[in-house]
Amino acid sequence: MWCSRMALRRLQRIAVTPLNITGGLTSNMQREMSTLPRVYVTRQIPPEGLKILRESGQVQFELWDSDDPVPRQELLQRVKGVDGLLCVLTEKIDAELLDAAGPNLKVLSTMSVGFDHLSLEELKKRGIRIGYTPEVLTDAVAELTVAVLLTTSRRLIEATHEAKTGGWGTWRTLWLCGYELANSTVGILGLGRIGVAIAERLAPFKVKKFIYTDMEPRPELASAINAEYVSLDELAKQSDFLAVCCALTPETKEICNKELFSKMKNTSIFINTSRGGVVNQEDLYEALSTGQIAGAGLDVTVPEPLPTNHPLFTLKNCVILPHIASASYTTRNAMSALAANNLLRGLRGEPMIKELKL
Ligand SMILES: O=CC(=O)O
């Protein structure tokens, strides 16, 4: 092989720029590069994943070298003729984008466990394989869910605000009281790996009972946490803490609405670390502002970012985080590595490590 592996790596490094600079290459080097599958990476992903792509010697990739999303028009241009695409959850992968990419595109790898940004129907129609990143983020998401649950139920944001701004007059008997996990019933809407991991972390807080609902009972997962299958109605009625862990699909869109909130206890805490679209936010605002439920902790909203003048931000009993559930260095690097490996395997025509089967 005329072009050594080292030279190829040098070329791949050079290609890593939104400007796609390839100056200084001999024509032979350029020819060698041009036989490799072309990949577009829509964001500056954590270093592990980039290292895997660079060192593979198997792809020529171009990167949107920024921490902010690539503008849509730029993306539509850049994907033209690519064989593979590595994206994050802010990119809408729909018919328009797939048409712009054209028929070479055979592999899509998303650095996310969620896939509501992908038009599965369009991908299936075109025979494009999909990689995603479940499991590697389970621990981080479960930890954050416990953190936001306790922050909301024990009113930590309100408390630090009072302490800092002079509201801390004296010790008072019922001031800033919240709700405790001991002896409580915790409900999980959508029991998967993340729901189980949350329950495992909450059990040592002396939770009395775990209940869950899903499309159907999931006895293998439920037995690990001794959780009882109930209807959505019962979940709403019995839960002292209700954690939403389901994927956003047409079936779960706005499943948390007026009807659900109206069945919840006025001492209940609602937690969502899945997708904002599973909640009707107007109904949630109503439930929180009228005292129908005690509090809500949200890591996800519609839209993201939620405008700073959104009514939910005016409520003391609503804790809102900017979609950070998987945001630990370890997890984001693991997601990036898995996304890169899924992509490379897909391009080689091998089974991906985590492939979404359509
Ligand atoms: O929300 C995060 C993800 O889908 O990975």
Side-chain angles (χ1 to χ4, degrees), residues 89 110-117 132-134 137 141 194 273-275 299-300 304 323-327 331-332 335:
L89 53 78
T110 179
M111 192 189 123
S112 63
V113 65
F115 43 83
D116 47 291
H117 55 302
Y132 71 138
T133 62
L137 47 60
V141 174
I194 292 175
T273 52
S274 67
R275 282 291 184 269
D299 183 46
V300 283
E304 291 182 3
H323 202 149
I324 55 164
S326 67
T331 290
R332 288 285 168 84
M335 290 167 73

Side-chain angles (χ1 to χ4, degrees), residues 12-24:
Q12 283 158 350
R13 264 198 304 279
I14 291 165
V16 178
T17 153
L19 299 173
N20 200 22
I21 296 163
T22 51

Side-chain angles (χ1 to χ4, degrees), residues 212-234:
Y212 75 102
T213 198
D214 211 309
M215 309 272 266
E216 54 192 27
R218 309 197 63 181
E220 270 168 38
L221 286 171
S223 67
I225 51 168
N226 205 13
E228 181 191 332
Y229 182 73
V230 295
S231 64
L232 185 59
D233 259 28
E234 280 305 313

Side-chain angles (χ1 to χ4, degrees), residues 280-336:
N280 179 313
Q281 285 177 177
E282 279 171 24
D283 292 353
L284 177 62
Y285 175 82
E286 185 74 12
L288 287 167
S289 57
T290 59
Q292 174 62 53
I293 65 173
L298 313 173
D299 183 46
V300 283
T301 58
V302 176
E304 291 182 3
L306 192 65
T308 51
N309 63 355
H310 192 280
L312 282 172
F313 276 122
T314 64
L315 300 174
K316 282 187 177 169
N317 56 350
C318 188
V319 173
I320 300 173
L321 301 177
H323 202 149
I324 55 164
S326 67
S328 77
Y329 293 111
T330 308
T331 290
R332 288 285 168 84
N333 260 306
M335 290 167 73
S336 153

